[in-house]
Amino acid sequence: MGAMEAPLLYALLGGLFTWGLTAVGAASVFFAREPSRKLLDTLLGFAAGVMLAASVFSLLLPGMEMAKAQGMVPWVPAVVGFLLGGGLLRLIDRLLPHVHLDPGAREEGLHTSWRRTTLLILAITLHNFPEGLAVGVAFGAAGLDPTGAATLGGAIALAVGIGLQNLPEGLAVAWPLRRAGIGAGLAWFYGQLSAIVEPVGAVLGALLVGEMLVLLPYLMALAAGAMVFVIVEEVIPESQAEGNGDLSTFGVMVGFALMMALDVALG
């Protein structure tokens, strides 16, 4: 297998894995009872903690090590890439029609006559793309980075962590659709469909690494910035919207600690 084929294959498998766990989470609609809001908010907090730790330990810190090994000032690509990632997500957020999970949320992006359920799916799809991109960048870096700062174990830890946090995301997409009167099979289909962009993002991330290896520290920070934007703009507010702030915060702490342990153990 060639130098580029292996990272691409691993990135695709990692993206398929994270998408698959979204499908598992969405499959909860086939059960008779909807999970309690307290459980959902705890799981969403857990997802936020995992994403936050993954951004730091699997993307920003290895990226700074790569920058240092390449003779750069380590914090420069980290800061520039991080802010670009958040800015890019904000730009897409303003342009793409979507609506967030909160039942009272207003429609955002360019005006459209699309149904609210379509806008909800678009919102989750938009916010899943950076996760796939991060997985692809991590696997691409592990296979191609000449400095050795990025490891295959670290990329696997990132994919596992994002997969774990996708479980409650699949649940959070599918159940509002189920409550809106959509059948369980169709609610599951749309729930898992929201993450189908993750394998696409993963392959794109690996390809970007292969084509722009010198910019790898910037790409890793960009993926981290995009994920942190999603955490702050969507996941944490949604997890605390129903007054379960303590449970959500506990979930954040547990998720962060688990992802940190995974990254250290596997990386």
Side-chain angles (χ1 to χ4, degrees):
M1 189 175 292
M4 192 61 221
E5 285 82 357
L8 278 175
L9 175 60
Y10 292 146
L12 176 61
L13 292 175
L16 288 172
F17 171 77
T18 59
W19 162 72
L21 287 190
T22 305
V24 171
S28 61
V29 294
F30 293 110
F31 299 122
R33 292 182 57 189
E34 180 178 0
S36 72
R37 183 69 203 198
K38 288 184 177 181
L39 175 61
L40 177 59
D41 288 343
T42 304
L43 291 175
L44 285 173
F46 173 83
V50 167
M51 291 173 70
L52 186 59
S55 299
V56 175
F57 294 101
S58 297
L59 294 169
L60 286 174
L61 292 181
M64 284 190 278
E65 289 181 28
M66 292 175 203
K68 184 177 181 180
Q70 293 178 22
M72 304 179 190
V73 179
W75 60 266
V76 171
V79 170
V80 172
F82 184 82
L83 293 177
L84 280 175
L88 179 62
L89 258 290
R90 177 55 182 159
L91 177 62
I92 297 173
D93 217 31
R94 285 182 63 86
L95 296 177
L96 183 70
H98 66 282
V99 65
H100 296 298
L101 290 170
D102 184 356
R106 296 179 300 172
E107 296 178 9
E108 298 182 16
L110 297 177
H111 178 70
T112 179
S113 59
W114 294 344
R115 296 175 59 184
R116 188 176 179 87
T117 52
T118 302
L119 297 176
L120 172 64
I121 294 163
L122 279 175
I124 303 299
T125 301
L126 163 66
H127 290 165
N128 275 332
F129 185 77
E131 298 169 11
L133 184 69
V135 168
V137 168
F139 277 108
L144 300 172
D145 172 38
T147 69
T151 65
L152 181 60
I156 292 172
L158 177 64
V160 170
I162 288 178
L164 288 175
Q165 67 89 29
N166 274 357
L167 284 166
E169 282 195 359
L171 183 154
V173 177
W175 272 105
L177 299 177
R178 189 77 177 97
R179 287 198 304 270
I182 293 176
L186 199 56
W188 171 83
F189 176 77
Y190 285 132
Q192 62 82 31
L193 189 65
S194 67
I196 199 65
V197 294
E198 293 200 11
V200 177
V203 171
L204 177 60
L207 285 172
L208 286 173
V209 170
E211 293 298 321
M212 297 183 289
L213 190 57
V214 68
L215 297 179
L216 184 51
Y218 291 91
L219 291 174
M220 296 189 79
L222 185 145
M227 286 213 298
V228 170
F229 181 91
V230 171
I231 297 166
V232 177
E233 201 256 354
E234 170 73 9
V235 182
I236 289 179
E238 171 61 18
S239 71
Q240 303 203 5
E242 299 294 328
N244 296 316
D246 289 342
L247 289 173
S248 169
T249 302
F250 174 75
V252 171
M253 300 296 291
V254 172
F256 188 97
L258 177 61
M259 184 62 213
M260 180 169 55
L262 272 175
D263 189 83
V264 173
L266 296 178

